[in-house]
Amino acid sequence: RRAPLRTWANACGPIDRWQPVEVDESRMAPVKMEPERRWGDKSGCIILSSFSSCIADGCVEEHVLHGMQGLHSLQALVPSLLRHEIERALEKLNLIEDGVYAWEMFLEMMRTQSWNSLPNADMPRHFTETTRVILVDWLIQVHEMLHFQEDTLYLAIHLLNRSLQLIKVTTANLQLLGMVCLFLAAKKEECLLPEVSGLCYLMDHTYTKHQLLRMERKVLCGLKFNLSFCPPLHFLFLLASIARCSPKVVWMARYLMELSLLEIQCLVFLPMQLAGAALCLSRRVLQEPSTPEGEAAWCLASSIHVGSEPTLLKIMHILASAAAKAHSRETCASFIKFSSSETLHVSRHPNLKNASALLGMCT
Amino acid sequence: MADTAGIQYEPVAEIGGGAYGTVYKARDTESGQFVALKSVRVQTDQNGLPISTVREVALLRRLEQFDHPNVVRLMDVCATQRTDQETKVTLVFEHVDQDLKTYLERTPAPGLAPDRIKDLMRQLLCGLAFLHSNRVMHRDLKPENILVTSQGQVKLADFGLARIYSCHMALTPVVVTLWYRPPEVLLQSSYATPVDIWSTGCIFAEMFRRKPLFCGESEVDQLGKIFEVIGLPPEEEWPTDVTLSRKNFPPVTPRSITDFVPEINEQGAQLLLKMLTFDPLKRISALSALEHSYFQDEETLTQTKS
């Protein structure tokens, strides 16, 4: 079925030679709840009410799609409580080395996330949406097999999207390009690299090592070595930590966000928007009983999104319909990955199947 | 761009050997602008470009996105294969005619006005603070790689290159100047961003003197010349992880910095001493230096503030 791409079973052989990369527990572990925390400041709720009323109106303002409108005035808008929460969360998530710079780091994440975003979702004509879905799905499988970190996958797909817009690649070389993007992402993010010969094996020796390295140079030159990317996962963990989300909500959001990699419409959204939408949808799908503390925390986390509600809603629609048909698609690597017991079987959650009901909840 | 690199950039002249290989002035045939081409030959094995090169160049590209006024623009990067074992990485920088060395040489007697020095120092420290806050150290700061545009804007060049080049440095035995090196580097102890502050201090003094402050001929000689000015540091400040013993140096006491830099004012002398502090942990940081009272009196005409 995945004609040009090698099958899973075929590809599983050489993996045994690689030592699994040590997974940093603190990064992978879902955000822990801290129920004893008391909320003295509820100012976040005021912002949330505008958030929900905006959703109720269903107002889709095109001009807010590309920029985080709230960003300019973010510093003025956020209650000091939120700032404190952001600083704590970044430190807890090990995203920063020094707590003193946490707030600057957050502002920089917000500011720089748009630098590397794509201006449009245009792809070369021969790279159809179907081809793209097959390639990305295959890369998700290879990524999982190589035990890479989740960040590496997001970077790889980001590099793939940008490469396709910047360099000319024939249809025959698309798989090679995908592999090279994953390889480069690994060079940027991973401690342990697979051998190039192993990567060629995974492609059933369709390409030589020489071709792979030539493609590596081509991609690096095309991108001018610009490999920076702020992965949406960082934003997801940050939001989830502030919102005190349960592990299940976080796993569900991670699944939904991974589905966005397959959706070509999602290319133009900012990492923070993807993370916000995934988390929001996850909560709606799981419908966990709410507590006053939990709601307050959620309000606070949501206040980061002030101004981008229509975009969030749009992304939630895309993700909801992707999740509804995920189980029946041929390209179901993420569905399988997130159906395991470690991921709390989130992809098999019954609420996901009924897209219309999900969409109804969102509007 | 790999294939077009040779065509897009037309070499005009060789500009200086540089510690890391030849640097060319070239013309961008698309824009007509002059650029500086710096090439690094990187050893490549069967796994392609080394991780360190990929990461370091990617970091330079990331810095570039901030568009800092006191840092030289990195306009393009290309990688071309030379042999199976070697890849040439070409970094295309904006070209600035003049470096601080020629700028100081061209300045007629009696030298730069104090306000001009203050402005240059402020810009230099702004650039450094930016690099340091992004965890990049220069490691080889000297007047030759501090560029000064015709409008008087300071731009740091060659930062972050040391690490890209270091893997193949052994191949080209080059004499790197010792004059701006801090004690911890001369002693081969561990070092971090304070190295650049030491060099900045040396350059600060040189702006007044119009000649270098410490002109050593070997590591030991360089250290000796440093101690003649700042005095032999106490035993407890001497790093423990070095082979060169403190006993090798005569127990000299510090002399007044104004003996060596007579034109400097009082605040300037204070700041200079904080930069030329033996212990890197006690040395002032770029950010704190910018807040020093030397910069806080009357507003000088600045090209850039960031």
Side-chain angles (χ1 to χ4, degrees):
Chain A
R1 50 194 179 104
R2 295 182 191 109
L5 314 172
R6 299 311 129 198
T7 59
W8 178 267
N10 184 15
C12 275
I15 187 67
D16 302 336
R17 286 195 282 115
W18 294 307
Q19 293 298 307
V21 177
E22 270 192 28
V23 179
D24 185 356
E25 285 301 325
S26 61
R27 276 182 88 144
M28 300 300 286
V31 182
K32 295 198 178 57
M33 290 278 279
E34 284 188 22
E36 64 280 344
R37 176 114 191 132
R38 287 283 169 267
W39 296 88
D41 184 347
K42 302 256 178 180
S43 50
C45 293
I46 303 160
I47 301 168
L48 184 88
S49 59
S50 69
F51 179 73
S52 22
S53 69
C54 195
I55 285 178
D57 295 342
C59 53
V60 179
E61 292 162 84
E62 283 301 316
H63 70 273
V64 286
L65 285 184
H66 280 282
M68 299 293 259
Q69 288 291 300
L71 189 57
H72 298 295
S73 48
L74 194 65
Q75 189 122 24
L77 263 178
V78 289
S80 58
L81 179 64
L82 179 58
R83 177 174 169 162
H84 172 75
E85 283 297 308
I86 287 171
E87 289 174 348
R88 264 184 83 238
L90 284 171
E91 231 169 328
K92 218 164 63 183
L93 295 167
N94 267 336
L95 288 177
I96 46 160
E97 288 171 4
D98 187 346
V100 180
Y101 296 111
W103 180 247
E104 279 69 32
M105 159 94 184
F106 170 71
L107 290 178
E108 195 182 301
M109 276 167 78
M110 293 295 279
R111 201 168 48 226
T112 59
Q113 59 171 335
S114 60
W115 289 353
N116 302 304
S117 68
L118 299 168
N120 55 57
D122 296 348
M123 285 287 145
R125 197 174 296 165
H126 66 281
F127 194 56
T128 62
E129 204 170 336
T130 322
T131 319
R132 186 178 178 281
V133 167
I134 293 172
L135 181 56
V136 172
D137 188 71
W138 178 74
L139 285 171
I140 292 173
Q141 294 177 47
V142 176
H143 168 270
E144 194 185 3
M145 229 181 334
L146 295 173
H147 302 284
F148 285 160
Q149 297 181 52
E150 237 172 319
D151 285 354
T152 309
L153 176 64
Y154 283 91
L155 177 59
I157 306 301
H158 174 71
L159 295 179
L160 174 69
N161 294 334
R162 279 188 38 226
S163 300
L164 281 163
Q165 291 191 335
L166 290 166
I167 58 178
K168 279 189 190 138
V169 178
T170 60
T171 312
N173 280 335
L174 284 176
Q175 188 186 14
L176 180 64
L177 175 69
M179 187 58 110
V180 162
C181 288
L182 184 61
F183 189 44
L184 279 173
K187 280 190 174 181
K188 179 99 193 307
E189 300 292 332
E190 300 287 336
C191 321
L192 226 65
L193 275 186
E195 299 275 326
V196 167
S197 52
L199 301 181
C200 290
Y201 179 91
L202 288 176
M203 297 185 286
D204 208 21
H205 298 290
T206 313
Y207 315 96
T208 62
K209 289 198 280 186
H210 186 76
Q211 281 177 301
L212 195 145
L213 296 181
R214 202 170 60 193
M215 182 62 88
E216 179 186 76
R217 287 192 299 277
K218 192 172 173 180
V219 171
L220 282 172
C221 292
L223 299 177
K224 296 186 177 187
F225 277 75
N226 190 355
L227 309 178
S228 304
F229 179 58
C230 192
L233 269 175
H234 290 187
F235 290 109
L236 179 68
F237 291 143
L238 175 69
L239 287 172
S241 174
I242 297 167
R244 307 291 193 271
C245 291
S246 71
K248 189 155 191 178
V249 169
V250 179
W251 277 114
M252 178 63 85
R254 278 161 86 165
Y255 169 55
L256 292 168
M257 208 160 72
E258 196 168 297
L259 289 178
S260 77
L261 292 175
L262 294 152
E263 302 300 320
I264 197 150
Q265 300 153 272
C266 285
L267 255 59
V268 295
F269 299 120
L270 297 176
M272 179 55 118
Q273 296 169 334
L274 287 170
L279 204 58
C280 209
L281 183 59
S282 165
R283 279 168 48 93
R284 279 158 197 270
V285 169
L286 293 172
Q287 295 286 307
E288 289 183 347
S290 66
T291 60
E293 286 84 6
E295 285 309 305
W298 176 249
C299 290
L300 196 64
S302 314
S303 64
I304 295 175
H305 291 292
V306 178
S308 36
E309 293 83 0
T311 313
L312 250 54
L313 196 61
K314 198 171 169 182
I315 303 171
M316 282 159 76
H317 272 91
I318 298 169
L319 298 184
S321 70
K325 53 181 196 244
H327 66 286
S328 57
R329 275 167 122 175
E330 286 207 347
T331 48
C332 53
S334 300
F335 177 81
I336 295 170
K337 193 203 280 188
F338 284 91
S339 66
S340 68
S341 57
E342 304 91 79
T343 60
L344 310 179
H345 315 285
V346 282
S347 67
R348 294 191 184 277
H349 197 281
N351 286 1
L352 284 174
K353 281 189 192 160
N354 199 339
S356 54
L358 283 175
L359 293 174
M361 272 193 282
C362 294
T363 43
Chain B
M1 248 143 277
D3 336 338
T4 59
I7 309 158
Q8 196 190 340
Y9 303 106
E10 183 180 74
V12 178
E14 199 178 301
I15 41 170
Y20 309 119
T22 323
V23 183
Y24 289 96
K25 178 177 176 177
R27 213 165 63 95
D28 182 344
T29 48
E30 279 175 21
S31 67
Q33 264 185 316
F34 285 113
V35 294
L37 297 184
K38 298 184 185 184
S39 299
V40 201
R41 287 185 200 166
V42 190
Q43 306 288 321
T44 40
D45 58 11
Q46 51 179 347
N47 286 322
L49 271 180
I51 294 188
S52 55
T53 311
V54 170
R55 290 186 183 173
E56 296 300 334
V57 180
L59 179 61
L60 290 185
R61 292 296 307 177
R62 173 158 172 81
L63 291 184
E64 177 58 26
Q65 294 182 313
F66 287 92
D67 204 20
H68 194 279
N70 301 120
V71 156
V72 76
R73 296 276 76 81
L74 171 59
M75 299 153 80
D76 198 356
V77 188
C78 10
T80 40
Q81 193 179 32
R82 292 174 60 91
T83 66
D84 276 351
Q85 281 84 44
E86 202 178 275
T87 301
K88 188 172 80 169
V89 177
T90 307
L91 302 155
V92 183
F93 291 99
E94 83 178 295
H95 180 257
V96 178
D97 272 325
Q98 181 179 240
D99 62 33
L100 185 62
K101 191 178 179 221
T102 47
Y103 182 78
L104 290 175
E105 283 164 2
R106 282 176 193 167
T107 308
L112 292 175
D115 281 355
R116 188 75 199 105
I117 292 179
K118 194 177 287 187
D119 176 40
L120 291 169
M121 279 301 291
R122 196 198 312 262
Q123 295 189 55
L124 172 53
L125 285 165
C126 275
L128 265 191
F130 165 72
L131 293 180
H132 289 176
S133 64
N134 282 285
R135 277 166 274 161
V136 176
M137 57 175 158
H138 194 301
R139 292 216 304 197
D140 191 28
L141 203 58
K142 54 190 175 195
E144 287 92 327
N145 50 37
I146 297 169
L147 308 177
V148 186
T149 68
S150 49
Q151 286 81 42
Q153 190 175 351
V154 171
K155 281 167 180 271
L156 300 180
D158 287 350
F159 50 88
L161 294 188
R163 277 190 291 182
I164 298 174
Y165 289 112
S166 58
C167 44
H168 79 116
M169 272 293 280
L171 300 173
T172 43
V174 283
V175 185
V176 182
T177 179
L178 301 168
W179 299 346
Y180 305 93
R181 293 218 172 155
E184 66 268 27
V185 173
L186 295 164
L187 287 166
Q188 294 174 2
S189 178
S190 57
Y191 58 89
T193 51
V195 293
D196 294 333
I197 299 299
W198 179 277
S199 312
T200 306
C202 298
I203 293 161
F204 188 21
E206 190 167 332
M207 287 183 193
F208 289 100
R209 292 162 49 90
R210 289 191 295 152
K211 56 178 193 266
L213 181 60
F214 309 120
C215 304
E217 279 156 17
S218 67
E219 271 91 347
V220 178
D221 184 41
Q222 181 73 21
L223 282 164
K225 293 209 156 59
I226 290 170
F227 298 149
E228 278 170 29
V229 176
I230 67 166
L232 186 66
E235 185 68 53
E236 60 268 22
E237 282 189 12
W238 200 266
T240 48
D241 56 347
V242 298
T243 46
L244 197 59
S245 161
R246 181 172 171 274
K247 295 187 185 73
N248 296 20
F249 298 92
V252 283
T253 48
R255 288 177 54 186
S256 170
I257 194 73
T258 45
D259 291 357
F260 302 92
V261 195
E263 296 89 351
I264 200 164
N265 70 11
E266 203 185 316
Q267 279 96 6
Q270 275 176 13
L271 177 60
L272 180 55
L273 280 178
K274 286 186 174 178
M275 292 177 159
L276 298 180
T277 299
F278 178 80
D279 185 347
L281 296 174
K282 292 179 185 162
R283 210 172 291 155
I284 196 166
S285 72
L287 265 180
S288 313
L290 282 166
E291 284 163 11
H292 191 270
S293 58
Y294 169 67
F295 292 111
Q296 265 155 19
D297 50 8
E298 82 274 84
E299 280 295 309
T300 45
L301 245 167
T302 46
Q303 298 291 326
T304 47
K305 272 184 190 171
S306 63

